[in-house]
Amino acid sequence: MERPYRVRRSCLAVPASSERFITKARGLPADEVFLDLEDAVAPAAKPQARANAAAAVAGDWGGRTVAVRVNDASTQWAHKDVIEVVSAAARVDVIVLPKVTSPGHVVWLDLLLGQAEQAAGLPLGQTGIEAQIEDARGLAAVNAIAAASPRLEALVFGPADFMASVGIRSLDVGGQPEGYAGGDVYHYALMRILIAARAQGLQAIDGPYLKVRDTGGFRRSAASAAALGYDGKWVLHPDQIDAANEVFAPSQADFERASRIIDAYAHATTVDQRGAVMLGDEMIDEASRKMAQAIVARGRAAGLPATA
């Protein structure tokens, strides 16, 4: 089935072990909320967190994307996470798979999701996947990972585990290590993930900024990722949501131009029966429509006014 486009300017992490945090998240303006069963949950609390997540995804989330980050494929909890969450609800939009180091991890999740969907009587293929790239092995295999499943919707950069994996000399996640004089130490990883994602028509999402009270630092980090071409960023605290939504929203001018592209292309294909058309001095086609669709979706989510 064709994957829907989901706006992901802000992706809010919520520990599934906390029912209070889950309840609060329902009223927050994040584009995506993912209930975390992995790093945010202690081993002894994982069964209850899984039950909390399975119950929560079935509730009312006001139309936003609802995801669950399961434990990584090599753990004892992963298969139960997937089966119980998918089986318990008619809707979980996306499964976030952490610590993906090979395309085999994504293939495993794809197959398991298909089995869980069939067992629950759900449409086959309705559940999407986000793959989190967190170490050197994952980055080295990112092109193959991005092509591993038609369920894939996004690649996500995981900076903390990546820093540990490659030996970056800093405990400041997302910060620049002392003595580094080469610019942005994460640029290569971010760009490689972005290119792999775009080559397969996927979104690219930047990882979290851990200093949750430093809104200025978060905004600078988000703006840098947005300038590079990323679609959104993880947020760990409600104070980060508005900044992410603003930074990753298109300008009014880009929103209006994208709307014109969609209208012109729709007229060309349905009325004129043509696959390409001139808009001003620019030739637009199906690729133009896809790019415009993403901009319009983010603009609508930002509440930008439509013009005639």
Side-chain angles (χ1 to χ4, degrees):
M1 62 188 300
E2 184 176 354
R3 306 306 319 161
Y5 179 82
R6 309 184 202 273
V7 179
R8 291 180 169 92
R9 298 170 302 164
S10 53
C11 302
L12 176 64
V14 180
S17 54
S18 173
E19 293 184 78
R20 180 173 67 87
F21 286 174
I22 293 173
T23 299
K24 183 176 181 180
R26 292 185 191 276
L28 296 174
D31 288 337
E32 175 179 294
V33 174
F34 72 88
L35 307 178
D36 192 9
L37 301 178
E38 198 217 11
D39 286 349
V41 179
K46 288 186 185 290
Q48 183 59 55
R50 184 188 301 132
N52 292 348
V57 293
D60 180 13
W61 289 91
R64 63 176 54 83
T65 296
V66 179
V68 174
R69 181 167 74 158
V70 298
N71 288 279
D72 78 77
S74 66
T75 67
Q76 61 184 302
W77 305 289
H79 70 290
K80 287 186 178 179
D81 291 344
V82 175
I83 291 169
E84 291 189 23
V85 167
V86 173
S87 300
R91 175 204 171 191
V92 55
D93 296 317
V94 177
I95 296 295
V96 182
L97 185 63
K99 297 179 175 62
V100 176
T101 61
S102 77
H105 289 167
V106 177
V107 172
W108 165 82
L109 180 55
D110 186 319
L111 291 171
L112 185 55
L113 282 171
Q115 294 166 355
E117 288 166 345
Q118 290 182 70
L122 300 174
L124 188 63
Q126 78 165 22
T127 313
I129 297 173
E130 295 176 20
Q132 197 171 6
I133 308 301
E134 302 187 68
D135 66 4
R137 290 176 60 198
L139 189 63
V142 70
N143 291 341
I145 289 168
S149 168
R151 292 180 184 266
L152 269 168
E153 298 183 15
L155 300 180
V156 183
F157 179 49
D161 283 280
F162 182 80
M163 292 171 67
S165 169
V166 301
I168 293 176
R169 296 184 178 183
S170 175
L171 295 176
D172 178 13
V173 175
Q176 301 303 312
E178 185 178 354
Y180 184 71
D184 181 0
V185 72
Y186 308 101
H187 181 80
Y188 172 76
L190 288 168
M191 183 57 78
R192 186 159 180 178
I193 290 169
L194 179 66
I195 296 301
R198 293 295 189 255
Q200 299 298 328
L202 309 180
Q203 292 186 51
I205 308 300
D206 192 18
Y209 185 82
L210 269 59
K211 295 180 178 179
V212 296
R213 301 296 182 186
D214 180 10
T215 54
F218 174 85
R219 182 176 289 273
R220 288 190 296 274
S221 177
S224 179
L228 194 61
Y230 272 65
D231 298 280
K233 186 171 178 64
W234 275 16
V235 296
L236 303 182
H237 191 276
D239 288 348
Q240 297 177 333
I241 295 174
D242 287 344
N245 287 345
E246 178 184 336
V247 165
F248 288 99
S251 68
Q252 182 69 38
D254 285 345
F255 175 64
E256 292 174 4
R257 177 165 179 75
S259 298
R260 290 195 298 271
I261 288 172
I262 290 174
D263 292 342
Y265 188 73
H267 187 275
T269 54
T270 60
V271 177
D272 299 334
Q273 299 296 307
R274 291 186 292 159
V277 65
M278 293 298 294
L279 180 62
D281 60 355
E282 180 183 359
M283 178 69 74
I284 60 172
D285 56 12
E286 173 62 12
S288 307
R289 184 198 66 81
K290 288 180 179 178
M291 291 188 293
Q293 182 184 38
I295 293 171
V296 167
R298 291 199 297 270
R300 287 174 177 166
L304 296 181
T307 58

